[in-house]
Amino acid sequence: MDSTDDTTADGTPVRDGAPIPDDDTEVSRKQAALFISPFLALGLADVVLLLGWGLDPLWGFMILPPILFISFLGWIAFKYGFVGDRTDEEVHGAE
């Protein structure tokens, strides 16, 4: 491949030395955050509700990290397509 060629071996255009993604199924960080925000809001509302009932604030602090961790895992799944990739493989593998 010579240095003036602006496509890869499979025909994908190259910009600044990296191939440009050609699929429209990629989810942006903002879209992933919008998809996860209702679940995060429910978890935070749960913490606020428990603290509003007069529960010791230590319990609110103890359940907050798992809520944030699961929300972050969901964000990763939406952003990088863990969910979509798994279903695509199952569909194509069955053919």
Side-chain angles (χ1 to χ4, degrees):
M1 184 191 252
D2 95 73
S3 62
T4 61
D5 193 9
D6 59 348
T7 59
T8 60
D10 65 349
T12 306
V14 174
R15 181 175 173 212
D16 297 331
I20 298 173
D22 58 351
D23 61 345
D24 292 335
T25 60
E26 185 175 319
V27 178
S28 71
R29 290 187 302 254
K30 184 178 179 180
Q31 286 175 323
L34 288 174
F35 294 154
I36 289 300
S37 62
F39 302 105
L40 180 61
L42 283 173
L44 295 177
D46 181 41
V47 171
V48 169
L49 181 66
L50 289 173
L51 293 176
W53 279 345
L55 201 63
D56 187 15
L58 182 60
W59 284 105
F61 178 73
M62 288 177 62
I63 65 170
L64 188 59
I67 291 169
L68 296 175
F69 180 72
I70 295 299
S71 296
F72 181 68
L73 285 181
W75 181 83
I76 290 173
F78 278 112
K79 170 64 179 116
Y80 294 107
F82 291 165
V83 176
D85 289 347
R86 300 276 301 174
T87 57
D88 289 343
E89 288 175 8
E90 292 173 6
V91 170
H92 295 304
E95 293 177 357

